[in-house]
Amino acid sequence: MLPTSYSGVLVAFSLLVAILASYTALNMAGRVSSAHGKAAGIWLAGGSFAMGFGVWSMHFVGMLAFSLPISISYDLLYTGLSLLIAIASSAFALWVVCQKELPTLRLVLGAIFMGAGIAAMHYTGMHAMLMEPGIVYDPLLFAVSVLIAMLASGAALWIAFRLRRDTARVVYARIGASLVMGCAIVGMHYTGMAAAEFPLGSYCGAANNGMENKWLAVLVIVVSLAVFAIALIVSMLDARTNILATSLDEANSELVKLALHDTLTRLPNRVLLGDRLDQAIQKTNRGSKKHFAVLFMDLDGFKGVNDVYGHHIGDLLLIEVARRISETKRGEDTVARLGGDEFVLLIDPGEPEDAAALAQRLVESIGKPYNISRNTVHVTASVGIAIYPLDGATVHELMINADAAMYHAKELGRNSYCFFEKAMNTNAHQQLKLQQDLRKAIDAREFLLHYQPKVLAPNGPMIGVEALLRWQSPEHGLVPPDRFLPLAERTGMIVPIGNWVIDEACRQMREWQKQGHLEWSIAVNLSTVQLAHAGLVDVVRSALERHQLDARHLVLEVTESTAMRDAEASLIILDQLAKLGVSISIDDFGTGYSSLLYLKRLPANELKIDRGFVTELAQGNDDAAIVSAIVALGQTLGLKIVAEGVETAEQQALLTRLGCNTLQGYLLGRPVPAEQLTTSLAALGTSPVGVATP
Ligand code: C2E
Ligand code: CA
Ligand code: CA
């Protein structure tokens, strides 16, 4: 046998070429599978060429690394044929990898075909030497080389299939995979070479018309490097534009989403809901379904959460509520957020009872406690249901009526659902009418104040009054504040109305002083909207000046939750009011969530225990414990303690014993007009504090 030898440099080059070829091949697989139509075909053709040429040049450089003690050359025809075989098997491999799936059977068959192809290329390339007599192959090593080719092909196909998507991480995986694949290809080649034995006296039949070894090596290496470089650059540019296109696509769908979705909860917004409602109406009219239902949901107590915990927690709560609604609804239902704490669900109930069942599940799910940023928060939902076509013929009508039903659910005690009924419509119209009439009420001088005595515990004398607003409407009769104040607050009308109250209370107090009631004070209620309104301090100051009333005779009652809302801002306003010399009273105390630290900073003079604790008050019960705790707290902070809602003698006695300084309630006097207050006092013969005794 002829002794064989290898050039170390060229072997190293052949390994490098194999690795580069593998990397190019993996890249190409990525390109082909992310392209479509004609582009995919072009990538497949280009990829097959680059990869096939790569594998072939590895083989060829490996051949050139090999030397025999005789001169060797290669026959162009067979060399060209081996290149064609390499390209064809690459094309086949790329095609396999770019299919949607790679089941095991296809992987195995693919590996066999591709491995056979590579082996065919190799042995055709060997044949290009046209040795005389022929090369003798060791059957075992020959078989091993073919096996390696198939195993390497299988691994390559599997890896390429896995790594065909372009992502940032894939680049590193591809580099690693190329190293493995490169080594496998090289392994196959040199095993194949080892299988070859050249009998003594062999000579190379291609020696005369072939090319010379050294120049061939340089040429093949340069050309293959150039092919890889071009393939890789083009492929990377394409990947880049592809990624750009994908991110543009994503940005675009994000934009579409933003315009139709609520940014906070990502639910569809009013616009999208309107569109869905239109579609649902059309579908129903075409007869493809019988009816559909609109569920209007509004949270109960959401405003309180915002006031007490701030808007951030409020936002998180809304996100969580949205999640619970989405979980509760069925897949095909549309849920939208209209804004604030209002959500709408569009459903396709088989029967109206389905809508009721869903509404009930929603109420239950939303009503469970929330754990948000380590706070346990409670809200409930009221749901109104309107059914098309029964309860409205247009989107607008349906929404109005579902909303009216929701209000009805709220009136019935919240945390429940309610179907729309015709009667509610008149209710909605009444609300509208009320609003219009309220607007005219100030100018029409329809407001008046009633005054309720505040007396020293247990029996008096009377030390002041609380002014309570009444609306004497020619149409609606004497309207209590509960019926129009929420409306006035929602519409902002509370500001001019409240300013009128302050002015009128100061006027009346001055009047009483003129009658000799020099030590009385008058309490005026302030709502949240008023406290947040910039002009409040000026309004109070000018009312005091206009009526020449000493500020210490005016008390401003602010509910605990009003004071807590935007606590820092409230503090500034309350401080300015206190500087004027007016007293601050914390109303409805015990219902909010004041922190003691905050309470200490408030410039308050008085705590009014909420009526709720007084109503059920009895010796030794919970309410009694709460009242005495509030009293203890008030005393520590140096505050006067007022109990309101005192209706019975027992309450009067107990509250006095628990330490309340001042009592207020029907037992001690109902709210009455000013004249009536003075006449009833006179009739009772009590001598109010400050009345000059003759
Ligand atoms: P509030 O400040 O807690 O006023 C006390 C309410 O309890 C009054 O109801 C009063 O009539 C009622 N009340 C007094 N004693 C008793 C009693 O022994 N038993 C019972 N069951 N109730 C009693 P009213 O006048 O209907 O006022 C309701 C709420 O409207 C007030 O609650 C206050 O928050 C608000 N309000 C009243 N007037 C004004 C006002 O001029 N401006 C503002 N912003 N709010 C006002
Ligand atoms: Ca009050
Ligand atoms: Ca109160």
Side-chain angles (χ1 to χ4, degrees), residues 56 75-87 120-121 124-125 127:
W56 174 83
D75 178 67
L76 275 183
L77 193 67
Y78 281 105
T79 306
L81 182 62
S82 70
L83 175 60
L84 274 183
I85 296 176
I87 292 175
M121 167 206 72
T124 312
H127 186 68

Side-chain angles (χ1 to χ4, degrees), residues 401-472:
N401 291 344
D403 183 59
M406 183 276 293
Y407 265 103
H408 202 73
K410 277 203 194 288
E411 273 166 23
L412 292 179
R414 307 170 151 206
N415 197 18
S416 64
Y417 68 89
C418 197
F419 278 97
F420 173 74
E421 284 162 26
K422 284 276 167 335
M424 292 171 191
N425 238 341
T426 50
N427 199 347
H429 286 146
Q430 270 170 13
Q431 282 292 108
L432 205 64
K433 180 86 173 69
L434 200 67
Q435 188 174 330
Q436 287 161 351
D437 292 346
L438 192 59
R439 253 176 232 291
K440 293 181 241 149
I442 296 188
D443 289 337
R445 303 180 154 270
E446 289 168 8
F447 289 117
L448 56 137
L449 292 179
H450 281 183
Y451 301 92
Q452 184 178 34
K454 283 169 136 177
V455 307
L456 268 184
N459 268 317
M462 182 178 117
I463 53 172
V465 293
E466 177 174 1
L468 293 160
L469 182 61
R470 300 292 179 262
W471 177 20
Q472 182 65 62

Side-chain angles (χ1 to χ4, degrees), residues 488-628:
E489 292 199 11
R490 275 209 301 279
T491 53
M493 280 188 276
I494 188 65
V495 174
I497 297 173
N499 292 349
W500 176 85
V501 173
I502 293 167
D503 190 77
E504 173 60 13
C506 290
R507 190 200 61 76
Q508 182 60 56
M509 188 60 239
R510 183 69 189 133
E511 192 64 28
W512 279 325
Q513 285 188 342
K514 284 182 189 152
Q515 292 171 16
H517 305 295
L518 298 177
E519 287 309 315
W520 287 4
S521 63
I522 192 160
V524 168
N525 292 286
L526 290 185
S527 79
T528 313
V529 181
Q530 286 175 278
L531 194 67
H533 202 263
L536 180 67
V537 180
D538 279 340
V539 168
V540 173
R541 186 190 296 117
S542 56
L544 290 170
E545 278 168 8
R546 190 173 316 121
H547 301 292
Q548 297 172 318
L549 184 69
D550 192 341
R552 70 191 173 91
H553 294 287
L554 182 63
V555 180
L556 296 177
E557 293 194 3
V558 179
T559 66
E560 188 187 6
S561 51
T562 294
M564 286 300 294
R565 182 200 166 93
D566 198 351
E568 292 307 313
S570 304
L571 207 58
I572 293 172
I573 303 291
L574 290 175
D575 271 332
Q576 289 175 356
L577 290 169
K579 279 215 187 74
L580 289 181
V582 302
S583 302
I584 307 291
S585 173
I586 309 295
D587 205 351
D588 297 350
F589 189 78
T591 52
Y593 310 79
S594 310
S595 86
L596 286 183
L597 275 177
Y598 179 66
L599 202 61
K600 220 176 113 199
R601 289 169 64 200
L602 278 181
N605 317 74
E606 186 178 283
L607 277 190
K608 287 185 87 170
I609 300 174
D610 186 64
R611 209 162 65 219
F613 299 114
V614 175
T615 318
E616 304 277 304
L617 188 69
Q619 182 76 50
N621 72 359
D622 280 356
D623 288 331
I626 293 171
V627 169
S628 63

Side-chain angles (χ1 to χ4, degrees), residues 202-428:
S202 295
Y203 69 95
C204 180
N208 296 327
N209 57 2
M211 281 184 268
E212 211 199 309
N213 258 4
K214 199 172 74 189
W215 291 112
L216 263 182
V218 173
L219 185 68
V220 168
I221 290 173
V222 168
V223 170
S224 54
L225 289 183
V227 168
F228 297 148
I230 291 169
L232 283 175
I233 288 171
V234 173
S235 150
M236 277 167 178
L237 282 180
D238 185 65
R240 199 104 317 202
T241 39
N242 245 24
I243 289 171
L244 203 66
T246 326
S247 52
L248 272 179
D249 250 12
E250 275 166 12
N252 202 40
S253 59
E254 188 74 355
L255 275 179
V256 170
K257 225 177 169 180
L258 283 184
L260 297 175
H261 289 76
D262 164 47
T263 33
L264 181 68
T265 60
R266 306 240 139 199
L267 292 181
N269 61 14
R270 193 183 284 275
V271 181
L272 188 51
L273 176 72
D275 182 60
R276 298 278 163 87
L277 281 168
D278 279 333
Q279 286 177 14
I281 289 183
Q282 280 167 20
K283 258 196 209 163
T284 319
N285 291 352
R286 268 188 263 119
S288 41
K289 55 180 179 178
K290 257 194 349 228
H291 46 227
F292 66 87
V294 175
L295 274 62
F296 200 110
M297 287 167 270
D298 186 286
L299 300 183
D300 315 312
F302 177 69
K303 198 169 153 289
V305 173
N306 254 348
D307 290 354
V308 171
Y309 296 104
H311 289 277
H312 177 61
I313 300 280
D315 283 354
L316 293 178
L317 176 67
L318 288 175
I319 293 173
E320 181 58 20
V321 168
R323 201 185 58 76
R324 290 193 190 176
I325 298 175
S326 305
E327 258 177 17
T328 311
K329 76 177 183 71
R330 295 160 310 180
E332 67 272 21
D333 304 337
T334 301
V335 58
R337 177 174 172 230
L338 292 193
D341 56 352
E342 290 177 346
F343 297 86
V344 169
L345 195 60
L346 168 62
I347 66 165
D348 190 354
E351 295 302 323
E353 295 80 56
D354 294 353
L358 183 62
Q360 180 59 35
R361 272 186 281 128
L362 283 168
V363 166
E364 280 166 14
S365 153
I366 296 174
K368 293 198 186 108
Y370 295 80
N371 213 317
I372 295 171
S373 303
R374 274 174 272 118
N375 300 296
T376 306
V377 181
H378 295 266
V379 285
T380 52
S382 298
V383 184
I385 308 173
I387 297 197
Y388 182 86
L390 199 69
D391 299 333
T394 62
V395 171
H396 181 71
E397 261 181 40
L398 276 176
M399 292 289 279
I400 294 256
N401 291 344
D403 183 59
M406 183 276 293
Y407 265 103
H408 202 73
K410 277 203 194 288
E411 273 166 23
L412 292 179
R414 307 170 151 206
N415 197 18
S416 64
Y417 68 89
C418 197
F419 278 97
F420 173 74
E421 284 162 26
K422 284 276 167 335
M424 292 171 191
N425 238 341
T426 50
N427 199 347

Side-chain angles (χ1 to χ4, degrees), residues 609-631 643-660 663:
I609 300 174
D610 186 64
R611 209 162 65 219
F613 299 114
V614 175
T615 318
E616 304 277 304
L617 188 69
Q619 182 76 50
N621 72 359
D622 280 356
D623 288 331
I626 293 171
V627 169
S628 63
I630 294 178
V631 169
E644 60 179 347
V646 184
E647 294 183 352
T648 68
E650 293 79 60
Q651 290 168 349
Q652 180 188 33
L654 189 50
L655 287 165
T656 308
R657 210 164 54 242
L658 291 171
C660 298
L663 304 182

